[in-house]
Structure formats: structure tokens, C-alpha cells
Amino acid sequence: MEEVEKFLKEAKTYYLATVEGDQPRVRPFGTAHIFEGKLYIQTGKKKDVSKQLHANPKAELCAFKGGEWIRVAGELVEDNRVEARQSMLDAYPGLKKMYAADDGNTEVFYFKNGLATISSFTHEPKVIKF
């Protein structure tokens, strides 16, 4: 899982896909953080992505860097503990301009049954389950 987090942080931007009804939705994200042995992302409860994940927690993200790409699939489960939210904000201090751990909007999700695949045109895919 550390390799997955490292890849996402080095890529800086990844694209998260969710579903709204029968329509896929994709948007850029930048948070990836390990807390208590789980890989987390962060968003705001007011955003459509939050509503989509609560309706259907299956999601996939994709990032590209240095000739390789990663796809991470799984279910995103909300962790409603203030400690989890604060840990994310501490890892990404720039978020504190827009979010606070107890603002009623900050939301963190962790991957359940995560499956990451790192691929390129020059090597066989590497699969990481977490």
C-alpha cells in the first residue's frame, strides 16, 4: 500500500471515477494518505462526488507518471472520526485553508478491498492488493 501512496503523491494528480445513476463521473484529485493501515482520500460533503460515493461506494482512480500508470479499484468507505479527518489535513496543510476536521463538511474515505495495478508499455503489470 505504501507503494500505491508513493505513486499517487509523486503523480500529484489522479483522476477519480464514480457513478451517478448510469453515468460515469471523473474528476481530478490530489489527496492520498495512509492512516491506521488504510489508504484514504479526502473531499467535501457538499460535493457531488460525496453524494455519488454514498449512493455507490465502488470507485476507481487512475494516475500517470514517468511512463507508468496506476489504476486503483475498490470500495470507498467513509471514516467519520475526527482523528481520520485531522490526520488527512495534517498530511495536506494546504487543505486547512478550505477545510477543518470539525467543520461538518470535511470527509475522508478509505479503500476497502483495494486492488492497484501499475502498468507501462515496457513491463508486465504489477498488482497490489490491500
Side-chain angles (χ1 to χ4, degrees):
M1 181 182 347
E2 288 80 10
E3 184 175 358
V4 174
E5 178 197 39
K6 183 176 186 269
F7 192 109
L8 294 173
K9 285 186 175 191
E10 289 176 356
K12 296 186 179 165
T13 302
Y14 60 86
Y15 297 88
L16 178 70
T18 58
V19 178
E20 184 176 64
D22 66 350
Q23 178 64 48
R25 301 288 183 195
V26 181
R27 80 280 293 150
F29 264 68
T31 54
H33 176 60
I34 294 176
F35 176 68
E36 295 183 347
K38 296 175 182 168
L39 181 64
Y40 282 76
I41 66 165
Q42 182 274 335
T43 192
K45 289 184 180 183
K46 298 174 185 174
K47 295 183 177 182
D48 288 343
V49 65
S50 172
K51 295 172 185 75
Q52 293 157 7
L53 288 171
H54 284 284
N56 181 350
K58 291 181 182 178
E60 187 164 300
L61 62 82
C62 184
F64 183 86
K65 74 169 183 77
E68 293 184 312
W69 58 93
I70 189 169
R71 290 175 50 208
V72 182
E75 293 179 47
L76 285 169
V77 178
E78 182 186 10
D79 185 336
N80 202 25
R81 296 176 299 151
V82 69
E83 298 87 358
R85 294 190 302 267
Q86 188 63 54
S87 180
M88 177 65 78
L89 296 174
D90 291 343
Y92 289 89
L95 290 175
K96 293 178 181 180
K97 296 174 188 169
M98 300 175 287
Y99 297 100
D102 59 356
D103 64 5
N105 182 40
T106 303
E107 189 170 40
V108 293
F109 293 85
Y110 65 86
F111 271 95
K112 178 181 171 186
N113 301 320
L115 181 67
T117 306
I118 300 173
S119 302
S120 84
F121 292 118
T122 59
H123 65 73
E124 291 296 314
K126 179 177 184 178
V127 177
I128 302 165
K129 293 181 182 180
F130 58 96

